[in-house]
């Protein structure tokens, strides 16, 4: 195996450099994750903008970034292994800044989506190489702590995106949000150039066919989900999209099994620890980013909050992440992974259900639901991050980071698509009779208010009904799929005890 920068070069300086490296990669992580959440706050502004987006366009404005992010994050991790993680990280930050600048100047929906996709490419290069750099810059005995802090940064990033995005949007238009993201990414690129250490390069080829098949399969799946309410679930477009997604997924599995250096070897998921952790990570971010998509508009439309107040309104969710994350590794050692994950998914599901009934109650009641969801994320993210990292050797840190990032972003994309789809369906079902008979039926609050400005109260109540339904649907998914994850974790624990404790928790 050809190595151009031996790992031993970085090892003597680990103790002195791990702190600054942890700070740098945590900020970079919070930026790319937070940008997923920040755009949710801008949805009402975008709906009323000169771009004139449809409900499907709005979902794609959120998901174009997340889909590319999710699909390319594993190949980008492999590229970091091959080309050098520091160089790929810096290149990713530059690409991220360029895409955000394109979106800031977008004259129409098409250019906006191009900018969002380019930004997603940059984010894909950033996230897996952050964790790869962190693993190589941190001594083995400090890795659980460093991974817990990094996992907290991914959770807190969503909240930082809400609060920071709210501040920017309250001071300017949605275009200012993209300008701010571009400037922050440029600053992070300079910081990474100064603080991130170089790591070993591995002689391996990049799996272009596997990457393209994976991207195509995920995009086809989301086309079916997002276009379902507007085109009809039995329409040719939706059925073809789902059929193509299934076929492309099977082709991807076959191609990966034959590839000498697959993007992601499907055989890895024979390990119940890895497979359950990957599903659990997807599920955690499905719930959290589905919430972010609903919460931003629910607070603005349903409660009449300003965009800044809506951004600040998510803060109760951050409290457990800030205060309790550092205690999770010790809790895992005492209780074990299955019990920790059981509590995590039960709390997340309960919090989502609570929010669906608290949407019209006093804000402290609503805040309590957010706090409970924060407890669930606090328990799940570090636990699942450690499971995935321990299932692969450190020399495959780029793949481990890519898998963690891919499951996060795939969960985020599915959360936005599924929750947004349920919300739209519920909204149109509860519209006043005169609007529900209109052809085409308005699918956003802005469209409905343009047609019937006098029905403002009825339209916002319809949106709240749709949001409540979406939150309950997300809670049900988290609860049922969470049971599957916990069952997999239990099998993994039994297997590890039988094989000498390889994955003992």
């Amino acid at each position: 195996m050809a190595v151009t920068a031996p790992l031993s070069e970085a090892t003597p300086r680990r103790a002195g450099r791990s702190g600054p490296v942890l700070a740098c990669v945590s900020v970079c992580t919070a930026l790319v994750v937070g940008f997923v959440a920040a755009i949710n706050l801008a949805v009402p502004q975008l709906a009323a903008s000169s771009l004139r987006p449809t409900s499907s366009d709005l979902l794609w404005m959120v998901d174009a970034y997340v889909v590319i992010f999710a699909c390319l994050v594993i190949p980008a991790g492999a590229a970091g292994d091959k080309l050098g993680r520091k160089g790929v990280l810096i290149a990713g930050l530059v690409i991220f800044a360029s895409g955000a600048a394109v979106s800031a100047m977008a004259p129409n929906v098409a250019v906006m989506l191009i900018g969002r996709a380019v930004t997603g490419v940059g984010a894909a290069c950033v996230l897996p190489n952050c964790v790869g750099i962190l693993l190589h810059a941190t001594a083995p005995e400090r890795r659980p702590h460093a991974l817990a802090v990094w996992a907290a940064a991914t959770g807190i990033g969503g909240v930082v995106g809400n609060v920071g995005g709210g501040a920017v949007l309250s001071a300017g238009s949605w275009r200012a949000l993209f300008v701010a993201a571009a400037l922050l990414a440029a600053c992070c690129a300079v910081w990474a150039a100064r603080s991130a250490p170089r790591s070993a390069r591995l002689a391996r080829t990049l799996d272009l066919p596997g990457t393209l098949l994976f991207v195509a399969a995920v995009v086809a799946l989301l086309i079916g989900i997002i276009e379902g309410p507007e085109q009809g679930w039995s329409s040719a477009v939706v059925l073809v999209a789902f059929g193509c997604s299934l076929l492309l997924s099977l082709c991807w599995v076959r191609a990966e099994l034959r590839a000498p250096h697959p993007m992601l070897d499907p055989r890895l998921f024979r390990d119940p620890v890895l497979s359950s952790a990957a599903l659990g990570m997807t599920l955690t971010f499905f719930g959290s980013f589905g919430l972010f998509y609903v919460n931003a508009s629910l607070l603005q439309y349903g409660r009449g909050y300003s965009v800044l107040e809506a951004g600040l309104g998510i803060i109760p969710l951050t409290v457990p992440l800030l205060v309790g994350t550092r205690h999770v590794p010790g809790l895992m050692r005492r209780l074990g992974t299955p019990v920790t994950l059981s509590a995590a998914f039960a709390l997340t599901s309960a919090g989502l259900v609570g929010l669906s009934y608290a949407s019209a109650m006093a804000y402290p009641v609503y805040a309590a639901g957010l706090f409970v969801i924060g407890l669930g994320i606090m328990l799940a993210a570090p636990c699942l991050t450690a499971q995935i990292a321990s299932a692969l050797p450190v020399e495959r840190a780029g793949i481990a980071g890519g898998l963690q990032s891919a499951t996060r972003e795939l969960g985020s994309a599915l959360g936005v698509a599924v929750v947004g789809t349920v919300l739209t369906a519920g909204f149109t079902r509860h519209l006043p009779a005169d609007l529900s008979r209109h052809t085409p039926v308005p699918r956003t609050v802005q469209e409905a208010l343009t047609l019937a400005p006098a029905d403002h109260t009825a339209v916002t109540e319809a949106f709240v009904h749709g949001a409540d339904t979406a939150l309950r649907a997300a809670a049900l998914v988290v609860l049922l799929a969470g049971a599957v994850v916990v069952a997999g974790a239990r099998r993994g624990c039994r297997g590890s005890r039988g094989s000498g404790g390889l994955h003992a928790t």
Side-chain angles (χ1 to χ4, degrees):
M1 184 181 297
V3 174
T4 58
L7 182 59
S8 58
E9 291 180 7
T11 302
R13 295 182 289 174
R14 271 180 177 164
R17 298 187 63 180
S18 61
V21 172
L22 177 59
C24 178
V25 299
S26 294
V27 171
C28 291
T29 297
L31 171 64
V32 299
V33 172
F35 201 43
V36 182
I39 192 66
N40 294 323
L41 283 171
V43 166
Q45 285 192 19
L46 288 166
S49 71
S50 59
L51 301 179
R52 297 181 178 178
T54 65
S55 62
S56 294
D57 291 337
L58 289 172
L59 285 174
W60 279 115
M61 285 179 187
V62 177
D63 262 356
Y65 171 82
V66 185
V67 169
I68 299 300
F69 193 171
C71 293
L72 296 186
V73 75
I74 294 177
D81 289 343
K82 178 179 176 63
L83 304 174
R85 298 186 184 103
K86 179 175 182 177
V88 175
L89 170 63
I90 294 171
L93 290 165
V94 172
I95 294 169
F96 183 100
S98 302
V102 170
S103 294
M105 299 182 290
N108 52 51
V109 170
V111 175
M112 165 64 81
L113 294 180
I114 291 172
R116 294 287 287 160
V118 171
T119 311
V121 173
C125 293
V126 171
L127 202 57
N129 291 294
C130 279
V131 73
I133 287 170
L134 180 61
L135 287 172
H136 278 274
T138 308
E141 65 273 11
R142 296 288 298 164
R143 282 176 189 153
H145 169 76
L147 285 171
V149 173
W150 182 81
T154 65
I156 293 171
V159 181
V160 169
N162 274 281
V163 177
V168 173
L169 289 166
S170 65
S173 71
W174 58 267
R175 296 184 188 274
L177 178 65
F178 291 100
V179 171
L183 292 175
L184 284 172
C187 292
C188 284
V190 175
W191 188 5
R194 294 177 61 86
S195 66
R198 296 187 180 278
S199 59
R201 300 182 184 183
L202 306 180
R204 59 173 297 158
T205 59
L206 300 180
D207 180 20
L208 183 59
T211 300
L212 294 176
L213 285 169
F214 188 69
V215 172
V218 174
V219 169
L221 173 64
L222 293 178
I223 287 174
I225 294 172
I226 291 174
E227 298 297 330
E230 195 158 325
Q231 302 287 338
W233 292 103
S234 60
S235 66
V237 171
V238 173
L239 294 178
V240 168
F242 285 139
C244 287
S245 178
L246 178 59
L247 180 61
L248 289 166
S249 298
L250 294 174
C251 291
W252 173 75
V253 170
R254 184 177 181 182
E256 295 299 270
L257 292 175
R258 293 183 172 186
H261 297 287
M263 178 192 83
L264 178 63
D265 191 340
R267 286 169 290 222
L268 288 173
F269 295 103
R270 293 174 179 171
D271 182 348
V273 172
L274 184 63
S275 57
S276 65
L279 176 60
M281 194 69 79
T282 302
L283 188 59
T284 299
F285 280 76
F286 172 95
S288 60
F289 279 85
L291 165 66
F292 289 150
Y293 184 80
V294 172
N295 178 75
S297 296
L298 182 59
L299 292 181
Q300 291 179 71
Y301 290 139
R303 293 178 177 266
Y305 282 14
S306 69
V307 66
L308 178 57
E309 289 172 332
L312 294 172
I314 198 73
I315 284 180
L317 186 147
T318 71
V319 175
L321 297 173
L322 291 170
V323 176
T325 297
R326 64 192 180 93
H327 300 294
V328 175
L331 192 66
M332 288 168 54
R333 286 191 294 271
R334 288 194 297 272
L335 301 179
T337 296
V339 173
T340 304
L341 290 178
S342 296
F345 294 126
L347 287 167
T348 302
S349 182
L352 289 169
V353 171
L355 286 186
S356 74
Y357 288 101
S359 57
M361 296 182 185
Y363 175 74
V365 179
Y366 190 86
L370 291 173
F371 182 84
V372 171
I373 294 171
L375 286 174
I377 298 172
M378 176 200 78
L379 292 172
C383 181
L384 296 166
T385 297
Q387 275 194 295
I388 294 174
S390 66
L392 292 171
V394 70
E395 61 267 19
R396 303 185 71 182
I399 296 297
L403 180 58
Q404 293 181 51
S405 304
T407 51
R408 283 181 168 89
E409 300 315 314
L410 185 58
S412 301
L414 289 172
V416 169
V418 172
V419 171
T421 296
V422 175
L423 187 156
T424 300
F427 170 68
T428 56
R429 190 167 56 251
H430 289 92
L431 281 172
D434 55 336
L435 286 173
S436 63
R437 288 193 297 266
H438 188 274
T439 305
V441 177
R443 299 184 179 277
T444 67
V445 171
Q446 184 63 36
E447 290 175 358
L449 292 179
T450 300
L451 293 171
D455 289 339
H456 185 277
T457 300
V459 169
T460 54
E461 286 179 353
F463 180 85
V464 171
H465 278 299
D468 291 344
T469 302
L471 289 170
R472 289 166 198 160
L476 182 61
V477 171
V478 170
L479 187 63
L480 295 180
V484 176
V485 173
V486 172
R490 290 187 187 281
R491 288 196 302 271
C493 287
R494 287 196 296 267
S496 65
R497 286 194 294 268
S499 60
L502 180 62
H503 299 297
T505 56

